């Protein structure tokens, strides 16, 4: 996952204020300094084995609760979550 892929989701849900915060969040879990969250890094976030509080974990848990099929793209999950808040 890149900053570009996470920016809209995290900022629109209020889990990050701006792109800089998203970049800092990615850097905080980017163990291999690739500039992205790789699969192993993602697993450490969602299983709670990451370093302290991370809004990406909150995003994952929130969106996972709305997707019983676990097959929707991140952008679709965010849209579904937003609709739920508005309605």
């Amino acid at each position: 996952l890149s900053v570009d892929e996470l920016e809209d989701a995290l900022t629109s849900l209020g889990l990050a204020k701006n792109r800089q915060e998203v970049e800092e969040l990615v850097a905080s879990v980017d163990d291999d300094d690739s500039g992205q969250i790789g699969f192993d890094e993602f697993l450490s976030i969602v299983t709670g084995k990451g370093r302290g509080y991370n809004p990406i974990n909150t995003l994952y848990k929130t969106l996972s609760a709305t997707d019983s099929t676990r097959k929707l793209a991140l952008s679709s999950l965010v849209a579904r979550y937003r609709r739920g808040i508005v309605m």
Side-chain angles (χ1 to χ4, degrees):
L1 296 171
S2 68
V3 170
D4 291 335
E5 292 171 308
L6 292 169
E7 182 179 13
D8 182 51
L10 292 175
T11 56
S12 66
L13 296 173
L15 298 172
K17 294 177 186 167
N18 53 42
R19 184 177 180 88
Q20 181 179 349
E21 278 194 12
V22 177
E23 290 170 349
E24 291 169 3
L25 290 168
V26 169
S28 74
V29 297
D30 183 18
D31 295 331
D32 63 3
D33 295 322
S34 66
Q36 297 186 359
I37 298 173
F39 184 72
D40 290 335
E41 295 159 336
F42 180 75
L43 284 180
S44 72
I45 294 167
V46 299
T47 59
K49 296 178 184 173
R51 297 171 267 180
Y53 168 75
N54 193 310
I56 298 170
N57 181 290
T58 303
L59 172 68
Y60 172 77
K61 287 180 180 179
T62 301
L63 296 179
S64 292
T66 67
D67 179 22
S68 60
T69 66
R70 302 213 183 261
K71 294 181 181 179
L72 293 177
L74 180 61
S75 59
S76 298
L77 290 172
V78 170
R80 181 187 285 182
Y81 180 78
R82 285 180 184 163
R83 281 192 300 274
I85 290 174
V86 172
M87 297 183 157

